[in-house]
Amino acid sequence: MNTPDNAKALLPECPYCDEVVDNETPQLNQEIICSHCGSRLLLVCLDGIWLYLREGWL
């Protein structure tokens, strides 16, 4: 996974299964499905840190 230019840090783990999410081109507000557990995730930026939020935390 590539770290975006404006990110202080990138946390690529799925909040359900803690496995690294495969995403070659991360974009804010991108909804994806975890390839390990099948959970729906949303990529967000909080204080410069990009991370995945699980469904229901939005």
Side-chain angles (χ1 to χ4, degrees):
M1 177 182 283
N2 299 324
T3 303
D5 293 336
N6 62 342
K8 293 179 185 174
L10 178 62
L11 304 176
E13 293 84 17
C14 172
Y16 279 109
C17 66
D18 292 328
E19 294 291 331
V20 174
V21 176
D22 297 325
N23 187 350
E24 292 299 319
T25 57
Q27 297 177 10
L28 282 179
N29 301 318
Q30 178 183 27
E31 284 191 32
I32 66 167
I33 304 292
C34 177
S35 59
H36 303 283
C37 66
S39 300
R40 284 183 16 167
L41 307 172
L42 180 67
L43 185 60
V44 298
C45 180
L46 299 173
D47 293 329
I49 300 172
W50 288 41
L51 63 131
Y52 288 101
L53 290 181
R54 65 184 192 184
E55 184 178 27
W57 283 14
L58 309 176

